[in-house]
Amino acid sequence: MKEEGQLSKMGDGRTGASVAVSEYQRLEKQVAGLNCEQKQHSPPLPSTPTNRIRQRRRSKSLEVLPDPSKLNGGNLLVHDQNKYRSMWIRTHSSLWMLGGVILILYLGHLYICAMVVVIQILMASELFQLRRRVHEDKQLPGFWLINWYFFFTAMLYVYGRILSQQLVNTVTSDQFFYRLVNSLIKYHMVICYFLYTAGMVWFILTLKKKMYKYQFGQYAWTHMILIVVFTQSSFTVANIFEGIFWFILPAFLIATNDVAAYFFGFFFGRTPLIKLSPKKTWEGFIGGSVATVVAAFLLANILGQFQWLTCPRKDLSTGWLHCDPGPLFKLEYYAFPIWLPEWIPWKGVSVLPVQWHALCLGLFASIIAPFGGFFASGLKRAFKIKDFGDSIPGHGGFTDRMDCQMVMAIFAYIYFQSFVLPQTNSVEMILDQILRNLSFEEQERLYTMLGQIFKGQQIVHP
């Protein structure tokens, strides 16, 4: 009787997980019985292509069963048995990456740009590898070089457009190099166009019978990488030369949102967020969003205190920068409303105007930018892989870390150009147009004419 009572208690206290396991075993037995009946009553079909396709479809309809360990939200981090080990590996790698990024930030603009270029090359390598097939590549020796040819042609075009003014300002002291650089900038678009055309001709000449589908698939895949991955991430370099502040703040907001969402989901995650990322939870998404917006407001105040982070770089030289901080980085006093109780000791607060812009960046980084990660998750599911690579322990590949950064980089650039950069024609903007559009002789003539104008004004107004 005691044993029966214990068994009844155990039966009454079964958890959802045990019920799921028993249901899984029942389904497994049914499928096994169906397979046995088919084997006994179905005569073997001749091995023809049509019959093989039917057998595959029939097997696929019966082979997929739910994993009992992942039923009832078992794939969330709170139910993961190895979550502390994976958290330690992930934290260890994050600290190493953070240390390396801080060192590169200390070195300055050019080193940060070099880091971005290296990351872009590593990302392209991971993505090119997804569509590569050993059998086809053996029949097309050297075909993979076309991918990299288009990649570096796109790099020449994009960075030539972004860094042309900085390059001109770097060589203004040498007349020969100044004329050479001006000529290259003038014909930069033509050069890149013919390089691209040469690549297209190269691709057409390599077309091989029975390989057309694979080759055109590679061609389309390469252009998708250039548009979706490379072009978006290249705006990071444009942000760097507007001031390291506009690079480091968006990048750290994405990292903050990622870390905060991970830990909120780690300890409190119960409600799945999206099927593309089974471990993402609403608790992690909301907690990460709040933490990111608060961090944006505070971090902007801290970073805005350093001139070498806020000063724009006008050339390609190295070294620390000193400039007069713009109005965005000068404290403004905001008085509290008079209807607040008198017992509150503070009557107002001093805030950098850039902190209000940081709130907008924080909202985008916490609400919209994560969809770059969801896009990457969908892409990985399409290719049936867990990660794009294994370069970073606990994180996957570089593409896994940069998916949200690409979306954030282009938004930060558009936001800065639209809402932060003054729209008036400043002296710097006029000078930029002069250097871009006038030859060296025309600039000398303009200099002489301006000198005559100034002398005339001095005679009229001594």
Side-chain angles (χ1 to χ4, degrees), residues 109-179:
H109 298 71
L110 284 183
Y111 294 92
I112 301 173
C113 293
M115 176 188 69
V116 172
V117 172
V118 170
I119 290 175
Q120 287 179 326
I121 293 174
L122 293 173
M123 290 170 59
S125 177
E126 292 174 352
L127 293 172
F128 286 152
Q129 197 65 33
L130 286 181
R131 293 278 302 175
R132 195 158 291 156
R133 300 175 185 172
V134 178
H135 175 70
E136 284 79 355
D137 284 345
K138 286 183 178 179
Q139 300 186 47
L140 298 168
F143 181 75
W144 59 273
L145 291 173
I146 298 178
N147 297 339
W148 289 108
Y149 177 86
F150 282 117
F151 178 83
F152 287 110
T153 300
M155 182 177 288
L156 176 64
Y157 176 76
V158 172
Y159 287 135
R161 301 287 291 180
I162 293 175
L163 302 178
S164 59
Q165 184 55 49
Q166 284 77 15
L167 185 59
V168 169
N169 293 339
T170 305
V171 298
T172 50
S173 58
D174 190 296
Q175 186 173 350
F176 171 76
F177 284 107
Y178 180 78
R179 290 182 176 179

Side-chain angles (χ1 to χ4, degrees), residues 93-349:
S93 300
S94 299
L95 292 175
W96 274 105
M97 287 191 294
L98 179 62
V101 170
I102 291 175
L103 175 62
I104 294 174
L105 289 174
Y106 176 80
L107 294 176
H109 298 71
L110 284 183
Y111 294 92
I112 301 173
C113 293
M115 176 188 69
V116 172
V117 172
V118 170
I119 290 175
Q120 287 179 326
I121 293 174
L122 293 173
M123 290 170 59
S125 177
E126 292 174 352
L127 293 172
F128 286 152
Q129 197 65 33
L130 286 181
R131 293 278 302 175
R132 195 158 291 156
R133 300 175 185 172
V134 178
H135 175 70
E136 284 79 355
D137 284 345
K138 286 183 178 179
Q139 300 186 47
L140 298 168
F143 181 75
W144 59 273
L145 291 173
I146 298 178
N147 297 339
W148 289 108
Y149 177 86
F150 282 117
F151 178 83
F152 287 110
T153 300
M155 182 177 288
L156 176 64
Y157 176 76
V158 172
Y159 287 135
R161 301 287 291 180
I162 293 175
L163 302 178
S164 59
Q165 184 55 49
Q166 284 77 15
L167 185 59
V168 169
N169 293 339
T170 305
V171 298
T172 50
S173 58
D174 190 296
Q175 186 173 350
F176 171 76
F177 284 107
Y178 180 78
R179 290 182 176 179
L180 176 63
V181 169
N182 266 307
S183 299
L184 291 174
I185 291 174
K186 182 179 180 180
Y187 300 107
H188 169 256
M189 189 176 295
V190 176
I191 294 171
C192 293
Y193 172 76
F194 279 106
L195 285 174
Y196 178 84
T197 304
M200 185 175 64
V201 172
W202 181 13
F203 167 77
I204 293 172
L205 293 176
T206 60
L207 290 176
K208 190 175 180 180
K209 192 176 181 180
K210 297 183 179 181
M211 293 291 170
Y212 296 152
K213 186 176 181 180
Y214 174 74
Q215 288 179 284
F216 277 100
Q218 287 287 340
Y219 186 83
W221 178 246
T222 300
H223 284 71
M224 192 280 289
I225 293 172
L226 296 180
I227 295 172
V228 177
V229 178
F230 173 75
T231 304
Q232 289 192 92
S233 58
S234 296
F235 283 94
T236 305
V237 175
N239 296 335
I240 292 169
F241 281 92
E242 296 294 350
I244 298 178
F245 177 92
W246 298 105
F247 161 75
I248 191 174
L249 179 65
F252 268 82
L253 290 181
I254 292 295
T256 301
N257 183 71
D258 187 36
V259 172
Y262 177 80
F263 278 102
F264 273 98
F266 186 90
F267 291 105
F268 309 108
R270 293 293 187 278
T271 311
L273 174 63
I274 188 170
K275 291 182 179 180
L276 286 173
S277 297
K279 293 187 178 182
K280 303 289 185 181
T281 62
W282 275 105
E283 292 81 1
F285 183 79
I286 296 172
S289 299
V290 174
T292 302
V293 173
V294 173
F297 191 78
L298 299 176
L299 188 61
N301 184 278
I302 297 172
L303 298 177
Q305 308 295 326
F306 299 94
Q307 283 191 15
W308 66 280
L309 292 178
T310 60
C311 294
R313 172 70 73 179
K314 299 297 184 181
D315 53 24
L316 298 179
S317 62
T318 57
W320 289 60
L321 291 174
H322 299 281
C323 63
D324 182 27
L328 286 176
F329 299 99
K330 293 181 180 179
L331 287 172
E332 292 184 0
Y333 184 79
Y334 295 88
F336 291 151
I338 57 175
W339 48 263
L340 287 178
E342 294 183 357
W343 53 266
I344 296 180
W346 302 282
K347 302 302 179 183
V349 62

Side-chain angles (χ1 to χ4, degrees), residues 45-82:
L45 297 174
S47 181
T48 63
T50 304
N51 291 334
R52 284 197 296 267
I53 292 173
R54 289 175 181 173
Q55 290 175 359
R56 288 172 189 167
R57 289 177 180 173
R58 187 181 302 165
S59 61
K60 284 182 179 180
S61 63
L62 297 173
E63 67 184 0
V64 179
L65 289 174
D67 187 351
S69 65
K70 294 185 178 181
L71 291 172
N72 297 329
N75 53 354
L76 299 178
L77 280 174
V78 291
H79 303 299
D80 192 350
Q81 300 295 328
N82 298 320

